[in-house]
Amino acid sequence: MTVHRRLAATGSVVGAMIVALDGTVLTVAWPGLQRDLGASFAQVQWTSTGYLIAVASLLVFAGRLGDRYGHQRLFAVGMLGFGAASAGIGLAPGIGWMIGLRVVQGVFGALLQPATLGMLRAAYPPDRLRTPIAVRTAAIGVAAALGPVVGGALVSGPGWRAVFFLNVAPAVVLGSLVLVRPGPRRAAAGQRARRLPPGQAPKQAPSAGLDVPGALLLAVTLAGLVHTLVVLPDVRWTTAGEVAVVLVAAAGFVRHERRTASPLIPPDVVGSVAVGSALGVLVTASAALHGTLFVSTYVMQDTLGLDPLQSALRSLPLAVMMVAAAPCGAVLLRRAGARRTGVPAMAVLALGILLLVRASGTLALCVGFGLLGAGFGTVMVTATHVVVRHSAVESAGVAGGAKQTAMNVGPILGVAAATVLLGSGGGRALPLLVLTTVAVGGAVVGGLLPGHGAVGADDHCDTADDLGDAGPRTSVPARR
């Protein structure tokens, strides 16, 4: 493995872990910071809502910036900014400062997240992406498992401010390392040497322009969508006007993208059945999982009378199986293809939710959570691999941004639906059955994933030239 590939893999794993750890650790810090800063519950909620809106609205545009200026450069800026914002939050004198800095942190988080996938797509041949993606998925599972434990220890010891200082050292070290370490030579668009099949014309180079109007329209659409979903359970704050703004912005974005010569989302991404189905699977899987976790937390603590530690221990099989499923998913993906891996994985996820409808004992809860982790971990590897592999190298950042957007919108959608259904008075059965149906719908969408032996967008590329490796140029055969 070359130095560049090791750095890309390390950056992808650590960047994904920092973002995942930040999200899971923060929930533990809420009560302490609310007391210390004299904040209202609504203000505390905005420390998360502001972050989510900033991230979701900028991910795709950040991916396009990476495609144009280099994913390594965007990753470094994102990591350094994320670390600096984390340090500022840890020193924030009041809740207003904290909300503002969380929005800034979200902006830098949006810069680094698509780059964690864009660097992998640029550094690895298409047929070798499974392993680094599986490691990245397993790392996210580890972060999800460690987050509440680490957060609880820090809040109980040094205090809630220490939670935010946790990100600073790894962000600064890795961001600085990536910034000073030059990446591979970037060939001019359209000038790469390729070995094309007989009769196939060279792919046209993407336009060098940045679609700023499209980025603004998409940002308004996603920001409004996220805010609407977050406040949906509280109908007092959900207005017809806000929904209208989202719909008008979305319609404007679609119309603009069809007419502009340099669209924000290139045709090879938006028009790809493989990428579209993978994004649909990610939205449904993450919505079903996070909605189920939201319902199950209330069931275990309010209905079954378990304390937070007992609840966490019973849900621990989810993280364990997610970590274990990542390498297994990579093997299944190689042997059976995306469709035959993703569809059964969604079925396993749905079965796990169904078991939790009536689960009350420790064994039943652990089995249900274990199935959730096994299904979701496999789906993550499969769908992420499809998005990255079936997007051209020139559009890897946009594809990564779209994938991360799906992973941000899905959980918000699932929790919003679960909150509304749980508050309807029907107990846990109704929301969990609806979420089971969502997972089954994801399995149906998974039927559109590529079959065994399908090739990606750039599988014909000359790997040595595209990746900047020294040494003889050899074409890499696609292997499943």
Side-chain angles (χ1 to χ4, degrees):
M1 183 185 292
T2 65
V3 174
H4 174 59
R5 287 183 186 168
R6 284 195 294 269
L7 187 59
T10 302
S12 180
V13 169
V14 175
M17 283 193 72
I18 285 178
V19 173
L21 194 62
D22 180 81
T24 55
V25 167
L26 178 61
T27 56
V28 182
W30 276 355
L33 70 88
Q34 183 176 5
R35 289 191 300 269
D36 290 353
L37 299 180
S40 66
F41 183 71
Q43 289 174 320
V44 172
Q45 275 189 313
W46 267 100
T47 63
S48 286
T49 302
Y51 175 88
L52 289 172
I53 290 175
V55 169
S57 61
L58 294 174
L59 281 168
V60 175
F61 185 60
R64 171 52 77 201
L65 290 176
D67 290 331
R68 184 175 184 184
Y69 298 109
H71 300 296
Q72 186 169 309
R73 183 179 300 172
L74 264 291
F75 175 83
V77 172
M79 285 289 278
L80 292 172
F82 196 90
S86 297
I89 294 170
L91 299 172
I95 190 64
W97 278 94
M98 185 172 183
I99 293 173
L101 286 170
R102 280 287 286 172
V103 173
V104 173
Q105 190 183 42
V107 172
F108 286 109
L111 293 180
L112 76 90
Q113 288 186 57
T116 63
L117 291 173
M119 289 192 302
L120 291 182
R121 183 65 177 94
Y124 284 84
D127 64 326
R128 297 182 185 176
L129 282 167
R130 302 180 196 90
T131 298
I133 288 175
V135 173
R136 182 180 183 274
T137 302
I140 294 174
V142 171
L146 291 178
V149 178
V150 174
L154 291 174
V155 171
S156 301
W160 64 267
R161 294 182 184 273
V163 168
F164 296 98
F165 291 122
L166 186 67
N167 299 324
V168 176
V172 171
V173 170
L174 190 59
S176 301
L177 180 62
V178 170
L179 190 63
V180 301
R181 178 80 188 184
R185 177 180 55 83
R186 292 175 58 85
Q191 299 301 317
R192 295 173 177 167
R194 299 181 183 273
R195 296 187 180 183
L196 302 177
Q200 181 173 337
K203 185 167 53 179
Q204 294 297 317
S207 172
L210 285 176
D211 183 14
V212 176
L216 291 174
L217 287 169
L218 182 60
V220 172
T221 302
L222 291 173
L225 176 62
V226 169
H227 184 261
T228 300
L229 291 174
V230 168
V231 303
L232 180 62
D234 189 353
V235 293
R236 293 172 302 174
W237 296 102
T238 304
T239 66
E242 184 173 4
V243 175
V245 169
V246 173
L247 294 177
V248 170
F253 173 72
V254 172
R255 183 174 183 271
H256 172 79
E257 290 294 286
R258 287 178 174 176
R259 295 189 171 200
T260 184
S262 177
L264 176 66
I265 305 179
D268 65 279
V269 175
V270 72
S272 169
V273 175
V275 174
S277 59
L279 293 176
V281 167
L282 286 171
V283 170
T284 53
S286 57
L289 173 71
H290 287 270
T292 300
L293 292 177
F294 179 83
V295 174
S296 299
T297 299
Y298 278 94
V299 169
M300 287 189 293
Q301 296 186 25
D302 292 349
T303 304
L304 302 181
L306 303 175
D307 61 36
L309 178 58
Q310 291 172 329
S311 300
L313 290 176
R314 282 160 177 77
S315 63
L316 189 60
L318 187 152
V320 173
M321 290 304 297
M322 184 175 169
V323 173
C328 295
V331 174
L332 290 172
L333 189 59
R334 183 179 67 250
R335 294 181 178 179
R339 187 184 307 142
R340 293 182 180 178
T341 301
V343 173
M346 286 299 300
V348 170
L349 178 63
L351 179 60
I353 301 172
L354 197 59
L355 286 178
L356 291 174
V357 172
R358 295 191 177 277
S360 57
T362 299
L363 179 60
L365 290 170
C366 288
V367 171
F369 284 119
L371 290 175
L372 288 181
F376 187 73
T378 305
V379 167
M380 276 277 289
V381 173
T382 303
T384 302
H385 179 267
V386 171
V387 170
V388 176
R389 177 167 184 166
H390 287 263
S391 300
V393 173
E394 297 87 351
S395 305
V398 170
K403 182 263 177 184
Q404 294 299 133
T405 301
M407 293 300 297
N408 277 272
V409 172
I412 299 171
L413 179 62
V415 171
T419 303
V420 172
L421 294 170
L422 196 61
S424 65
R428 62 170 154 169
L430 178 60
L432 290 181
L433 288 174
V434 170
L435 292 167
T436 301
T437 304
V438 171
V440 172
V444 174
V445 175
L448 299 175
L449 291 171
H452 187 261
V455 296
D458 269 3
D459 281 13
H460 59 271
C461 293
D462 186 310
T463 311
D465 185 70
D466 278 354
L467 304 181
D469 291 344
R473 286 167 38 174
T474 58
S475 69
V476 180
R479 294 196 304 270
R480 287 282 188 190

